Amino acid sequence: MENTKTYPKLKKAPAYRFVAFIIMTLVYILTYAGLQVFNSAGTQIMETFQIGESFLSVLSACGLLTMAIFSLFVFPLLSAKIGDKAACLAGLIVIVVSGLLYLVIPESLPALVAVRLLQGMGMGIINPASMGMEAVWFPVKERALSAGCMSACYGLSCTLVTQYTYRTGLAQWSVGKACGVMLTAFGIVMFLLVLFVYKDIMKKYGVSIIDEAIEGYVPQGEMTDAQREQWAKASGRKVFQMPANMKEAFRFPGCWLTYFGCFFYASVLLSGLSFVLPLYFPAMGYDAKASAAILSMTFLGHIISSPIFGIISDRVFKGRRTEVTMMAFWGGAVLWIIFHGMVSAQAAIPILTVFAFICYFVVTLAAGVYYVIPVEIVKPEFATKNMSICLVFANIGGIVSQLIAGALIQNINALAGLVYVICCMVAVGLINLVLHIKYRC
């Protein structure tokens, strides 16, 4: 008879969750720093290869294309066959290889595109892996805060990469060299940390999420009618049948709302503002030094807002996420319209810097909590795979956003690109309004 290993129940979530958080957040930073390099160095790339904004958007988006494909098809297969940790390690190897190739390829567009595509393959594996492997270690009452802190590091990565590309540009490094040094060095360090320090939660505690290992936890699917009623009353949420697999998810309207929400979310925060703003400021007459100064402070808004409103979502809204997302995207839409008016009125750079920080602070209120929704709207055993589906829609949204914004900026003006991103903010708010009404999630 086969022996089944038993695991003791925990009284609270283990302290190791903070170690897992640090490791996976660093992997997350690597993903988006690698993406942002081409956006932050956009002006340098256009000057080097004599291309316009439309072709720049294609160059930047090609990595997102392979990222989307590998998030949807390759990561789930690897996860099912070898586990999330091994899949993450495989993705990091691809990242390191792409970094080494950036260092040796000739300075040509075809070579840059080819390696960018390879880089996107690695990112398509490590992105869902890092987000899922972090989320499972935190109980539901802490999940939005942890996701908020993780998401805040997207803003940190944009800030650091903006300064990095500015400094490497002054040092006359090619874009390939700048990418190669960062991806190779950072990728090797992350590989070693994941290999030797990160613990697989299933092997450690025999569960899919840490909630299942804590005493007193009852999954919604196993609650009695009285327990469901008590849970819904306490949290202000609605009880609904959560999908447990891809077939059920594709039949569930809540999942489709989440998927399209991720599409427009990424159109704003993955490749919307981070792509448009580095092109917007030069087009409006600001030199490289002024643009770098404004953008460095702008992206810092993400670092502060995400953790704060993660706490508010967990504590004030009792685990509901949509109130925060509606405030963020509708409030952000209004503020960015005002911001362009200030730019047109030629407000002083210090004033623009502060107001840009506020604008980005508001729109990133939802940055942490947004990717908690895909984890919580399905059953725990399907959470990581549902996250990978959402990331596919997010990556497609990022691709579409860059292509449309690049074409609008090149063929109309800088404002047209910003207006497109603002329209995406409104769309996210509307989708989350429906999620709020139907599911109170």
Side-chain angles (χ1 to χ4, degrees):
M1 186 175 180
E2 186 178 346
N3 291 324
T4 303
K5 185 176 179 180
T6 59
Y7 301 86
K9 286 289 186 178
L10 305 173
K11 293 189 180 298
K12 61 180 181 179
Y16 176 79
R17 67 190 185 280
F18 299 112
V19 177
F21 169 81
I22 292 170
I23 296 170
M24 289 300 106
T25 296
L26 289 172
V27 175
Y28 177 87
I29 290 174
L30 173 60
T31 303
Y32 289 103
L35 278 176
Q36 184 61 24
V37 166
F38 276 51
N39 295 340
S40 295
T43 302
Q44 179 186 349
I45 293 172
M46 289 191 293
E47 290 175 354
T48 300
F49 297 106
Q50 297 297 301
I51 60 174
E53 289 86 354
S54 292
F55 196 88
L56 175 66
S57 68
V58 174
L59 178 62
S60 184
C62 66
L64 285 172
L65 175 62
T66 48
M67 185 175 175
I69 294 170
F70 271 61
S71 291
L72 179 61
F73 298 109
V74 178
F75 171 71
L77 290 175
L78 288 175
S79 176
K81 193 172 183 63
I82 61 177
D84 289 352
K85 179 176 177 176
C88 186
L89 290 170
L92 287 167
I93 290 173
V94 177
I95 292 291
V96 172
V97 170
S98 67
L100 292 171
L101 288 174
Y102 274 124
L103 294 174
V104 299
I105 59 172
E107 193 172 273
S108 70
L109 272 177
L112 207 60
V113 169
V115 182
R116 180 72 166 175
L117 289 169
L118 178 65
Q119 178 193 346
M121 296 175 191
M123 293 189 301
I125 298 171
I126 68 172
N127 192 32
S130 63
M131 297 178 77
M133 291 162 69
E134 179 271 339
V136 297
W137 277 98
F138 285 84
V140 65
K141 66 181 181 181
E142 298 177 359
R143 201 168 290 145
L145 173 59
S146 67
C149 292
M150 188 183 208
S151 178
C153 292
Y154 173 80
L156 177 62
S157 68
C158 289
T159 297
L160 293 176
V161 169
T162 298
Q163 286 299 318
Y164 177 71
T165 53
Y166 176 64
R167 301 296 176 186
T168 56
L170 290 178
Q172 297 187 344
W173 283 20
S174 68
V175 175
K177 182 178 180 180
C179 284
V181 169
M182 183 183 70
L183 294 178
T184 303
F186 203 175
I188 290 172
V189 172
M190 290 305 97
F191 180 88
L192 295 174
L193 280 175
V194 174
L195 178 62
F196 293 112
V197 183
Y198 183 84
K199 298 176 183 177
D200 188 303
I201 194 169
M202 180 60 73
K203 292 180 180 179
K204 181 68 176 175
Y205 294 109
V207 296
S208 300
I209 57 172
I210 200 62
D211 304 78
E212 296 173 333
I214 299 174
E215 290 180 355
Y217 171 75
V218 181
Q220 191 193 127
E222 298 176 11
M223 289 180 182
T224 64
D225 291 340
Q227 286 175 319
R228 282 196 188 94
E229 186 177 339
Q230 184 179 11
W231 172 81
K233 185 177 180 180
S235 63
R237 299 174 72 175
K238 292 184 177 181
V239 176
F240 53 88
Q241 185 62 42
M242 293 180 170
N245 52 55
M246 194 173 293
K247 182 178 180 181
E248 291 178 8
F250 287 165
R251 291 178 176 178
F252 180 53
C255 280
W256 283 105
L257 287 167
T258 305
Y259 300 156
F260 284 109
C262 287
F263 175 94
F264 287 108
Y265 168 92
S267 297
V268 176
L269 290 179
L270 174 59
S271 299
L273 291 172
S274 62
F275 176 77
V276 169
L277 292 178
L279 300 175
Y280 171 84
F281 289 113
M284 297 301 291
Y286 295 90
D287 61 22
K289 185 176 181 180
S291 297
I294 296 172
L295 286 172
S296 295
M297 285 300 298
T298 299
F299 294 128
L300 286 176
H302 197 154
I303 299 173
I304 301 171
S305 65
S306 293
I308 291 175
F309 278 81
I311 296 173
I312 290 173
S313 175
D314 284 337
R315 307 295 181 181
V316 178
F317 294 116
K318 301 177 182 179
R320 298 190 308 274
R321 317 303 179 189
T322 46
E323 286 96 336
V324 172
T325 57
M326 287 186 287
M327 286 190 295
F329 288 105
W330 284 341
V334 172
L335 288 175
W336 281 108
I337 292 170
I338 296 172
F339 177 79
H340 178 74
M342 295 173 66
V343 171
S344 300
Q346 298 182 335
I349 289 179
I351 295 174
L352 287 178
T353 301
V354 172
F355 199 78
F357 172 89
I358 294 170
C359 291
Y360 207 76
F361 176 93
V362 171
V363 81
T364 54
L365 299 180
V369 305
Y370 208 86
Y371 282 124
V372 178
I373 298 175
V375 173
E376 295 180 340
I377 205 167
V378 298
K379 290 185 176 179
E381 62 268 25
F382 185 59
T384 302
K385 290 181 176 60
N386 196 51
M387 175 69 78
S388 70
I389 297 171
C390 285
L391 290 175
V392 170
F393 278 81
N395 292 333
I396 294 172
I399 294 169
V400 172
S401 178
Q402 286 190 343
L403 295 177
I404 293 177
L408 290 172
I409 293 171
Q410 180 171 322
N411 296 303
I412 303 177
N413 55 34
L415 174 59
L418 185 60
V419 168
Y420 171 75
V421 177
I422 291 170
C423 290
C424 291
M425 294 180 198
V426 175
V428 182
L430 289 171
I431 289 171
N432 279 268
L433 176 61
V434 178
L435 277 169
H436 179 74
I437 293 171
K438 285 183 68 66
Y439 305 107
R440 289 289 193 273
C441 58

